[in-house]
Amino acid sequence: MVKIRMDIENIESKKIKFNLDTGFSPNQCSKKRMLSDMEGMYNNIKEYRNILQKGDKIVYEFHDLDINQRSAELCYGTTVVYPGKVGDEYYMTKGHFHEVLDTAEVYYSLKGQGILLMENIDGRIEIQEMEPGDSVYVPPGFAHRSINISKNEPFITFFVYRADAGHDYKTIENKGFRKLVIERNGTPTIIDNPNWNNK
Ligand code: M6P
Ligand code: ZN
């Protein structure tokens, strides 16, 4: 690599390395979501409690670089969703709308097999399967959830969104997504959420 001497003080650009294999950045801490943080997210509550009783587990972790939350700036990072299921439902992120609803997000998949589940406030559902090298554009107004459908490897994505977008979890916490992604006969299957909006 060319060593360029830059004698500019207080440079504003950032260069951050994300390991292509693990998705992690050697010098950034990651936020962790444990199974105990996913109360009410899984359809099979009995199985959720059974697993939790045997000990908490990490479901996913992500770098969400704290950039100034201004509309002119971008927030970006990586998410690692581990392989696993609660009953027949795959490990997944909580899922959220953006507080600034009319903002988009881009995902780029580095590893694993995943599904990006999206839903807007009118109930329009979009589903994109992702494998390494795929990018998906989440349009403004859509809630989004990353789901790991791999058998035994993490689903790793790089993401970027408008830095002031914010995260609105309440709608998903209260209603859930209209669709669930489960494993049926060994195959990832999309089904209607039998408990949608009746928590
Ligand atoms: C995504 C990004 C982040 C998000 C993270 C965890 O990669 O959209 O903004 O925080 O995954 O997902 P969630 O916030 O739904 O738990
Ligand atoms: Zn988002």
Side-chain angles (χ1 to χ4, degrees):
M1 187 169 157
V2 174
K3 283 284 176 216
I4 305 163
R5 251 190 57 70
M6 298 288 278
D7 48 10
I8 302 169
E9 291 301 315
N10 305 322
I11 55 169
E12 293 181 45
S13 58
K14 278 184 192 294
K15 181 171 82 172
I16 292 174
K17 193 174 285 298
F18 291 100
N19 182 294
L20 281 172
D21 187 43
T22 66
F24 292 119
S25 178
N27 41 24
Q28 304 287 333
C29 58
S30 66
K31 296 181 183 116
K32 293 171 175 54
R33 287 268 204 268
M34 305 303 287
L35 197 58
S36 54
D37 296 319
M38 303 290 280
E39 180 69 39
M41 290 283 144
Y42 280 98
N43 191 47
N44 187 332
I45 298 171
K46 189 165 169 286
E47 187 55 24
Y48 173 78
R49 297 219 187 291
N50 272 347
I51 298 171
L52 212 45
Q53 203 180 348
K54 293 176 190 137
D56 211 353
K57 292 177 182 284
I58 184 164
V59 178
Y60 59 102
E61 58 187 299
F62 55 101
H63 291 303
D64 206 352
L65 303 183
D66 293 330
I67 307 287
N68 303 333
Q69 297 195 1
R70 297 186 316 124
S71 60
E73 307 223 30
L74 296 172
C75 209
Y76 63 102
T78 51
T79 302
V80 178
V81 184
Y82 292 101
K85 290 203 293 293
V86 175
D88 57 5
E89 206 174 351
Y90 293 103
Y91 274 12
M92 60 191 184
T93 60
K94 287 181 121 176
H96 59 269
F97 282 96
H98 288 160
E99 281 173 342
V100 181
L101 189 59
D102 197 22
T103 54
E105 187 157 345
V106 173
Y107 281 81
Y108 177 70
S109 174
L110 301 176
K111 176 176 265 190
Q113 303 298 317
I115 282 182
L116 212 43
L117 175 62
M118 296 162 273
E119 175 178 322
N120 73 7
I121 44 175
D122 303 327
R124 179 186 169 81
I125 294 153
E126 299 208 3
I127 291 166
Q128 292 282 1
E129 201 164 346
M130 295 186 81
E131 60 181 24
D134 288 336
S135 68
V136 171
Y137 178 77
V138 179
F142 278 79
H144 36 286
R145 165 177 278 170
S146 309
I147 300 156
N148 184 349
I149 58 172
S150 316
K151 288 265 182 263
N152 51 22
E153 61 176 353
F155 173 45
I156 304 173
T157 53
F158 177 84
F159 61 86
V160 61
Y161 61 92
R162 210 176 85 178
D164 65 336
H167 295 75
D168 165 13
Y169 294 102
K170 58 185 176 312
T171 308
I172 299 302
E173 283 169 348
N174 296 337
K175 295 184 174 179
F177 278 85
R178 283 170 170 79
K179 296 290 184 183
L180 303 181
V181 182
I182 63 166
E183 184 173 273
R184 184 171 285 170
N185 305 323
T187 306
T189 307
I190 314 282
I191 63 167
D192 288 338
N193 179 352
N195 295 318
W196 181 74
N197 199 15
N198 61 7
K199 289 200 179 190

Short mmCIF file of all heavy atoms in Angstrom, two decimals, residues 93-144:
data_model
loop_
_atom_site.label_atom_id
_atom_site.label_comp_id
_atom_site.label_asym_id
_atom_site.label_seq_id
_atom_site.Cartn_x
_atom_site.Cartn_y
_atom_site.Cartn_z
N THR A 93 -32.95 -9.52 13.42
CA THR A 93 -32.88 -8.25 14.16
C THR A 93 -34.30 -7.88 14.59
O THR A 93 -35.28 -8.41 14.07
CB THR A 93 -32.31 -7.12 13.27
OG1 THR A 93 -33.16 -6.95 12.13
CG2 THR A 93 -30.89 -7.44 12.83
N LYS A 94 -34.39 -6.93 15.56
CA LYS A 94 -35.72 -6.51 16.04
C LYS A 94 -36.55 -5.96 14.88
O LYS A 94 -37.73 -6.24 14.73
CB LYS A 94 -35.57 -5.42 17.10
CG LYS A 94 -35.06 -5.92 18.43
CD LYS A 94 -34.96 -4.75 19.41
CE LYS A 94 -35.84 -4.99 20.62
NZ LYS A 94 -35.70 -3.93 21.61
N GLY A 95 -35.90 -5.16 14.09
CA GLY A 95 -36.62 -4.49 13.00
C GLY A 95 -37.15 -3.14 13.47
O GLY A 95 -37.56 -3.00 14.63
N HIS A 96 -37.12 -2.18 12.55
CA HIS A 96 -37.55 -0.82 12.95
C HIS A 96 -37.95 0.00 11.74
O HIS A 96 -37.52 -0.28 10.62
CB HIS A 96 -36.38 -0.11 13.67
CG HIS A 96 -35.16 0.00 12.82
ND1 HIS A 96 -34.15 -0.95 12.80
CD2 HIS A 96 -34.79 0.93 11.91
CE1 HIS A 96 -33.22 -0.60 11.93
NE2 HIS A 96 -33.59 0.53 11.38
N PHE A 97 -38.80 0.99 12.00
CA PHE A 97 -39.00 2.09 11.05
C PHE A 97 -37.95 3.13 11.40
O PHE A 97 -37.36 3.09 12.49
CB PHE A 97 -40.41 2.71 11.24
CG PHE A 97 -41.54 1.90 10.64
CD1 PHE A 97 -42.27 1.02 11.42
CD2 PHE A 97 -41.87 2.05 9.29
CE1 PHE A 97 -43.33 0.28 10.87
CE2 PHE A 97 -42.94 1.32 8.74
CZ PHE A 97 -43.64 0.44 9.53
N HIS A 98 -37.75 4.10 10.53
CA HIS A 98 -36.90 5.23 10.90
C HIS A 98 -37.80 6.30 11.52
O HIS A 98 -38.94 6.51 11.07
CB HIS A 98 -36.15 5.77 9.68
CG HIS A 98 -35.05 4.84 9.24
ND1 HIS A 98 -34.52 4.88 7.98
CD2 HIS A 98 -34.41 3.83 9.90
CE1 HIS A 98 -33.60 3.94 7.88
NE2 HIS A 98 -33.51 3.28 9.04
N GLU A 99 -37.29 6.97 12.54
CA GLU A 99 -38.10 8.05 13.15
C GLU A 99 -38.39 9.13 12.10
O GLU A 99 -39.48 9.67 12.03
CB GLU A 99 -37.35 8.64 14.34
CG GLU A 99 -37.48 7.76 15.59
CD GLU A 99 -36.61 8.24 16.73
OE1 GLU A 99 -35.67 9.02 16.47
OE2 GLU A 99 -36.84 7.81 17.87
N VAL A 100 -37.36 9.43 11.30
CA VAL A 100 -37.61 10.26 10.10
C VAL A 100 -38.04 9.26 9.03
O VAL A 100 -37.22 8.64 8.34
CB VAL A 100 -36.35 11.04 9.68
CG1 VAL A 100 -36.66 11.92 8.44
CG2 VAL A 100 -35.84 11.91 10.83
N LEU A 101 -39.37 9.06 8.96
CA LEU A 101 -39.91 7.93 8.18
C LEU A 101 -39.43 7.94 6.74
O LEU A 101 -39.11 6.89 6.17
CB LEU A 101 -41.45 7.98 8.23
CG LEU A 101 -42.21 6.78 7.68
CD1 LEU A 101 -41.84 5.50 8.42
CD2 LEU A 101 -43.72 7.03 7.75
N ASP A 102 -39.35 9.15 6.17
CA ASP A 102 -39.05 9.24 4.74
C ASP A 102 -37.54 9.21 4.48
O ASP A 102 -36.96 10.11 3.88
CB ASP A 102 -39.65 10.56 4.19
CG ASP A 102 -39.74 10.54 2.67
OD1 ASP A 102 -39.77 9.42 2.11
OD2 ASP A 102 -39.76 11.63 2.07
N THR A 103 -36.90 8.17 5.02
CA THR A 103 -35.46 7.98 4.77
C THR A 103 -35.20 6.52 4.41
O THR A 103 -35.85 5.61 4.94
CB THR A 103 -34.61 8.32 6.03
OG1 THR A 103 -35.09 7.56 7.13
CG2 THR A 103 -34.66 9.81 6.35
N ALA A 104 -34.26 6.32 3.52
CA ALA A 104 -33.97 4.97 3.01
C ALA A 104 -32.78 4.36 3.74
O ALA A 104 -32.22 4.97 4.66
CB ALA A 104 -33.68 5.07 1.50
N GLU A 105 -32.40 3.17 3.32
CA GLU A 105 -31.21 2.50 3.87
C GLU A 105 -30.70 1.53 2.81
O GLU A 105 -31.49 0.97 2.04
CB GLU A 105 -31.57 1.76 5.16
CG GLU A 105 -30.37 1.18 5.88
CD GLU A 105 -30.63 0.96 7.36
OE1 GLU A 105 -31.60 1.49 7.91
OE2 GLU A 105 -29.82 0.25 7.99
N VAL A 106 -29.40 1.39 2.74
CA VAL A 106 -28.81 0.42 1.81
C VAL A 106 -28.10 -0.66 2.61
O VAL A 106 -27.45 -0.37 3.62
CB VAL A 106 -27.79 1.10 0.86
CG1 VAL A 106 -27.07 0.06 0.01
CG2 VAL A 106 -28.51 2.11 -0.05
N TYR A 107 -28.28 -1.90 2.18
CA TYR A 107 -27.58 -3.04 2.80
C TYR A 107 -26.71 -3.68 1.74
O TYR A 107 -27.10 -3.75 0.56
CB TYR A 107 -28.60 -4.10 3.27
CG TYR A 107 -29.27 -3.76 4.57
CD1 TYR A 107 -30.34 -2.88 4.60
CD2 TYR A 107 -28.83 -4.30 5.76
CE1 TYR A 107 -30.97 -2.55 5.79
CE2 TYR A 107 -29.45 -3.99 6.96
CZ TYR A 107 -30.51 -3.11 6.96
OH TYR A 107 -31.12 -2.78 8.14
N TYR A 108 -25.55 -4.17 2.18
CA TYR A 108 -24.68 -4.93 1.28
C TYR A 108 -24.23 -6.16 2.03
O TYR A 108 -23.74 -6.07 3.16
CB TYR A 108 -23.46 -4.07 0.88
CG TYR A 108 -22.48 -4.82 0.00
CD1 TYR A 108 -22.80 -5.16 -1.31
CD2 TYR A 108 -21.23 -5.24 0.49
CE1 TYR A 108 -21.92 -5.86 -2.12
CE2 TYR A 108 -20.35 -5.95 -0.30
CZ TYR A 108 -20.70 -6.26 -1.61
OH TYR A 108 -19.82 -6.96 -2.41
N SER A 109 -24.46 -7.34 1.44
CA SER A 109 -24.19 -8.58 2.15
C SER A 109 -22.75 -9.08 1.94
O SER A 109 -22.28 -9.20 0.81
CB SER A 109 -25.17 -9.67 1.68
OG SER A 109 -24.80 -10.89 2.28
N LEU A 110 -22.07 -9.35 3.07
CA LEU A 110 -20.69 -9.83 3.02
C LEU A 110 -20.61 -11.35 3.16
O LEU A 110 -19.70 -11.99 2.65
CB LEU A 110 -19.86 -9.19 4.15
CG LEU A 110 -19.76 -7.66 4.18
CD1 LEU A 110 -19.00 -7.22 5.42
CD2 LEU A 110 -19.11 -7.14 2.92
N LYS A 111 -21.54 -11.92 3.95
CA LYS A 111 -21.41 -13.37 4.21
C LYS A 111 -22.78 -13.92 4.62
O LYS A 111 -23.61 -13.21 5.18
CB LYS A 111 -20.41 -13.59 5.36
CG LYS A 111 -20.27 -15.06 5.78
CD LYS A 111 -19.21 -15.25 6.84
CE LYS A 111 -17.88 -15.64 6.23
NZ LYS A 111 -16.89 -16.06 7.23
N GLY A 112 -22.96 -15.21 4.33
CA GLY A 112 -24.16 -15.92 4.80
C GLY A 112 -25.34 -15.73 3.87
O GLY A 112 -25.28 -15.00 2.87
N GLN A 113 -26.40 -16.42 4.23
CA GLN A 113 -27.65 -16.35 3.45
C GLN A 113 -28.67 -15.63 4.33
O GLN A 113 -28.85 -16.04 5.50
CB GLN A 113 -28.17 -17.77 3.13
CG GLN A 113 -27.15 -18.64 2.38
CD GLN A 113 -26.80 -18.06 1.01
OE1 GLN A 113 -27.67 -17.60 0.27
NE2 GLN A 113 -25.51 -18.06 0.70
N GLY A 114 -29.29 -14.62 3.82
CA GLY A 114 -30.22 -13.87 4.66
C GLY A 114 -31.43 -13.39 3.89
O GLY A 114 -31.51 -13.52 2.65
N ILE A 115 -32.37 -12.89 4.65
CA ILE A 115 -33.57 -12.27 4.07
C ILE A 115 -33.72 -10.89 4.70
O ILE A 115 -33.53 -10.73 5.91
CB ILE A 115 -34.81 -13.15 4.34
CG1 ILE A 115 -34.83 -14.34 3.36
CG2 ILE A 115 -36.10 -12.34 4.22
CD1 ILE A 115 -36.02 -15.26 3.47
N LEU A 116 -34.03 -9.93 3.85
CA LEU A 116 -34.38 -8.60 4.33
C LEU A 116 -35.90 -8.48 4.19
O LEU A 116 -36.46 -8.57 3.10
CB LEU A 116 -33.67 -7.54 3.47
CG LEU A 116 -33.28 -6.24 4.15
CD1 LEU A 116 -32.67 -6.45 5.52
CD2 LEU A 116 -32.34 -5.44 3.29
N LEU A 117 -36.56 -8.39 5.35
CA LEU A 117 -38.03 -8.30 5.39
C LEU A 117 -38.40 -6.82 5.56
O LEU A 117 -37.86 -6.16 6.45
CB LEU A 117 -38.54 -9.11 6.58
CG LEU A 117 -40.04 -9.09 6.89
CD1 LEU A 117 -40.84 -9.65 5.72
CD2 LEU A 117 -40.33 -9.88 8.17
N MET A 118 -39.23 -6.32 4.66
CA MET A 118 -39.59 -4.90 4.69
C MET A 118 -41.11 -4.75 4.66
O MET A 118 -41.81 -5.58 4.07
CB MET A 118 -38.99 -4.18 3.47
CG MET A 118 -37.46 -4.18 3.46
SD MET A 118 -36.76 -3.80 1.83
CE MET A 118 -36.72 -5.47 1.12
N GLU A 119 -41.60 -3.69 5.30
CA GLU A 119 -43.05 -3.48 5.38
C GLU A 119 -43.31 -2.00 5.60
O GLU A 119 -42.65 -1.38 6.44
CB GLU A 119 -43.57 -4.29 6.58
CG GLU A 119 -45.00 -4.13 6.90
CD GLU A 119 -45.42 -5.03 8.07
OE1 GLU A 119 -44.94 -6.19 8.19
OE2 GLU A 119 -46.21 -4.55 8.89
N ASN A 120 -44.25 -1.42 4.84
CA ASN A 120 -44.52 0.00 5.08
C ASN A 120 -45.81 0.17 5.87
O ASN A 120 -46.52 -0.80 6.15
CB ASN A 120 -44.52 0.79 3.78
CG ASN A 120 -45.74 0.53 2.92
OD1 ASN A 120 -46.68 -0.16 3.34
ND2 ASN A 120 -45.74 1.06 1.72
N ILE A 121 -46.14 1.40 6.23
CA ILE A 121 -47.27 1.62 7.15
C ILE A 121 -48.61 1.27 6.47
O ILE A 121 -49.61 1.06 7.13
CB ILE A 121 -47.31 3.07 7.68
CG1 ILE A 121 -47.06 4.10 6.58
CG2 ILE A 121 -46.35 3.25 8.84
CD1 ILE A 121 -47.20 5.53 7.04
N ASP A 122 -48.61 1.17 5.15
CA ASP A 122 -49.85 0.76 4.45
C ASP A 122 -49.96 -0.76 4.35
O ASP A 122 -50.89 -1.28 3.74
CB ASP A 122 -49.87 1.36 3.03
CG ASP A 122 -49.74 2.88 3.05
OD1 ASP A 122 -50.27 3.49 4.03
OD2 ASP A 122 -49.06 3.44 2.18
N GLY A 123 -48.96 -1.45 4.92
CA GLY A 123 -49.03 -2.91 4.92
C GLY A 123 -48.43 -3.55 3.67
O GLY A 123 -48.50 -4.76 3.47
N ARG A 124 -47.76 -2.73 2.83
CA ARG A 124 -47.09 -3.32 1.65
C ARG A 124 -45.83 -4.04 2.13
O ARG A 124 -45.05 -3.48 2.91
CB ARG A 124 -46.71 -2.20 0.68
CG ARG A 124 -45.98 -2.68 -0.57
CD ARG A 124 -45.51 -1.52 -1.42
NE ARG A 124 -44.61 -1.99 -2.46
CZ ARG A 124 -45.02 -2.55 -3.60
NH1 ARG A 124 -46.30 -2.66 -3.88
NH2 ARG A 124 -44.13 -2.98 -4.50
N ILE A 125 -45.68 -5.28 1.72
CA ILE A 125 -44.57 -6.11 2.18
C ILE A 125 -43.61 -6.34 1.03
O ILE A 125 -44.05 -6.63 -0.10
CB ILE A 125 -45.10 -7.48 2.69
CG1 ILE A 125 -45.94 -7.26 3.95
CG2 ILE A 125 -43.96 -8.46 2.97
CD1 ILE A 125 -46.98 -8.32 4.17
N GLU A 126 -42.30 -6.21 1.28
CA GLU A 126 -41.30 -6.56 0.29
C GLU A 126 -40.26 -7.46 0.96
O GLU A 126 -39.93 -7.25 2.14
CB GLU A 126 -40.65 -5.31 -0.31
CG GLU A 126 -41.68 -4.44 -1.01
CD GLU A 126 -41.10 -3.61 -2.15
OE1 GLU A 126 -39.90 -3.75 -2.43
OE2 GLU A 126 -41.86 -2.83 -2.74
N ILE A 127 -39.84 -8.45 0.21
CA ILE A 127 -38.89 -9.42 0.77
C ILE A 127 -37.76 -9.62 -0.22
O ILE A 127 -38.02 -9.84 -1.41
CB ILE A 127 -39.60 -10.77 1.06
CG1 ILE A 127 -40.57 -10.57 2.24
CG2 ILE A 127 -38.59 -11.87 1.38
CD1 ILE A 127 -41.55 -11.69 2.43
N GLN A 128 -36.51 -9.47 0.24
CA GLN A 128 -35.36 -9.68 -0.63
C GLN A 128 -34.46 -10.73 0.02
O GLN A 128 -34.06 -10.57 1.17
CB GLN A 128 -34.57 -8.37 -0.82
CG GLN A 128 -35.28 -7.30 -1.60
CD GLN A 128 -35.26 -7.54 -3.11
OE1 GLN A 128 -34.71 -8.55 -3.57
NE2 GLN A 128 -35.88 -6.65 -3.87
N GLU A 129 -34.15 -11.78 -0.74
CA GLU A 129 -33.17 -12.75 -0.26
C GLU A 129 -31.78 -12.19 -0.57
O GLU A 129 -31.60 -11.55 -1.61
CB GLU A 129 -33.39 -14.10 -0.96
CG GLU A 129 -32.78 -15.23 -0.18
CD GLU A 129 -33.30 -16.61 -0.61
OE1 GLU A 129 -34.32 -16.69 -1.33
OE2 GLU A 129 -32.64 -17.58 -0.25
N MET A 130 -30.82 -12.38 0.33
CA MET A 130 -29.47 -11.84 0.11
C MET A 130 -28.42 -12.92 0.26
O MET A 130 -28.48 -13.73 1.17
CB MET A 130 -29.19 -10.71 1.12
CG MET A 130 -30.06 -9.49 0.96
SD MET A 130 -29.53 -8.15 2.07
CE MET A 130 -28.17 -7.47 1.10
N GLU A 131 -27.46 -12.89 -0.67
CA GLU A 131 -26.26 -13.72 -0.51
C GLU A 131 -25.07 -12.80 -0.70
O GLU A 131 -25.22 -11.65 -1.13
CB GLU A 131 -26.28 -14.86 -1.52
CG GLU A 131 -26.32 -14.43 -2.97
CD GLU A 131 -26.37 -15.63 -3.91
OE1 GLU A 131 -26.83 -16.71 -3.48
OE2 GLU A 131 -25.95 -15.48 -5.06
N PRO A 132 -23.86 -13.27 -0.36
CA PRO A 132 -22.70 -12.38 -0.42
C PRO A 132 -22.60 -11.66 -1.77
O PRO A 132 -22.77 -12.27 -2.83
CB PRO A 132 -21.52 -13.34 -0.22
CG PRO A 132 -22.09 -14.43 0.62
CD PRO A 132 -23.50 -14.63 0.13
N GLY A 133 -22.40 -10.35 -1.71
CA GLY A 133 -22.27 -9.54 -2.92
C GLY A 133 -23.56 -8.84 -3.29
O GLY A 133 -23.55 -7.93 -4.13
N ASP A 134 -24.68 -9.26 -2.68
CA ASP A 134 -25.96 -8.60 -3.00
C ASP A 134 -26.10 -7.30 -2.22
O ASP A 134 -25.76 -7.24 -1.04
CB ASP A 134 -27.15 -9.50 -2.60
CG ASP A 134 -27.30 -10.70 -3.53
OD1 ASP A 134 -26.85 -10.61 -4.69
OD2 ASP A 134 -27.87 -11.71 -3.08
N SER A 135 -26.60 -6.28 -2.90
CA SER A 135 -26.98 -5.05 -2.18
C SER A 135 -28.50 -4.91 -2.32
O SER A 135 -29.09 -5.33 -3.32
CB SER A 135 -26.29 -3.83 -2.81
OG SER A 135 -26.82 -3.60 -4.11
N VAL A 136 -29.10 -4.37 -1.29
CA VAL A 136 -30.56 -4.13 -1.33
C VAL A 136 -30.83 -2.68 -0.89
O VAL A 136 -30.26 -2.21 0.11
CB VAL A 136 -31.33 -5.10 -0.40
CG1 VAL A 136 -32.81 -4.68 -0.27
CG2 VAL A 136 -31.23 -6.53 -0.93
N TYR A 137 -31.66 -2.02 -1.63
CA TYR A 137 -32.07 -0.65 -1.31
C TYR A 137 -33.41 -0.74 -0.57
O TYR A 137 -34.40 -1.23 -1.13
CB TYR A 137 -32.23 0.15 -2.61
CG TYR A 137 -32.69 1.58 -2.39
CD1 TYR A 137 -31.81 2.55 -1.93
CD2 TYR A 137 -34.02 1.94 -2.62
CE1 TYR A 137 -32.23 3.86 -1.74
CE2 TYR A 137 -34.45 3.25 -2.42
CZ TYR A 137 -33.55 4.20 -1.98
OH TYR A 137 -33.98 5.49 -1.76
N VAL A 138 -33.43 -0.29 0.68
CA VAL A 138 -34.68 -0.26 1.46
C VAL A 138 -35.30 1.12 1.21
O VAL A 138 -34.72 2.13 1.61
CB VAL A 138 -34.41 -0.44 2.97
CG1 VAL A 138 -35.71 -0.37 3.78
CG2 VAL A 138 -33.68 -1.76 3.23
N PRO A 139 -36.46 1.17 0.54
CA PRO A 139 -37.02 2.48 0.18
C PRO A 139 -37.47 3.26 1.42
O PRO A 139 -37.74 2.67 2.48
CB PRO A 139 -38.23 2.12 -0.69
CG PRO A 139 -38.15 0.66 -0.96
CD PRO A 139 -37.32 0.05 0.12
N PRO A 140 -37.58 4.57 1.30
CA PRO A 140 -38.09 5.36 2.42
C PRO A 140 -39.46 4.83 2.86
O PRO A 140 -40.24 4.35 2.04
CB PRO A 140 -38.24 6.77 1.80
CG PRO A 140 -37.30 6.79 0.64
CD PRO A 140 -37.30 5.38 0.12
N GLY A 141 -39.70 4.86 4.18
CA GLY A 141 -41.03 4.50 4.68
C GLY A 141 -41.19 3.04 5.02
O GLY A 141 -42.23 2.62 5.53
N PHE A 142 -40.16 2.21 4.76
CA PHE A 142 -40.29 0.78 5.04
C PHE A 142 -39.54 0.39 6.31
O PHE A 142 -38.34 0.67 6.45
CB PHE A 142 -39.74 -0.04 3.87
CG PHE A 142 -40.70 -0.20 2.72
CD1 PHE A 142 -40.89 0.83 1.81
CD2 PHE A 142 -41.43 -1.38 2.56
CE1 PHE A 142 -41.79 0.69 0.76
CE2 PHE A 142 -42.33 -1.53 1.51
CZ PHE A 142 -42.52 -0.50 0.61
N ALA A 143 -40.23 -0.32 7.20
CA ALA A 143 -39.55 -0.96 8.33
C ALA A 143 -38.70 -2.10 7.74
O ALA A 143 -39.06 -2.65 6.69
CB ALA A 143 -40.56 -1.52 9.31
N HIS A 144 -37.61 -2.42 8.41
CA HIS A 144 -36.73 -3.45 7.85
C HIS A 144 -36.15 -4.32 8.96
O HIS A 144 -35.86 -3.83 10.05
CB HIS A 144 -35.62 -2.82 7.01
CG HIS A 144 -35.11 -1.52 7.55
ND1 HIS A 144 -35.84 -0.34 7.47
CD2 HIS A 144 -33.97 -1.21 8.18
CE1 HIS A 144 -35.13 0.63 8.02
NE2 HIS A 144 -34.01 0.15 8.46
#
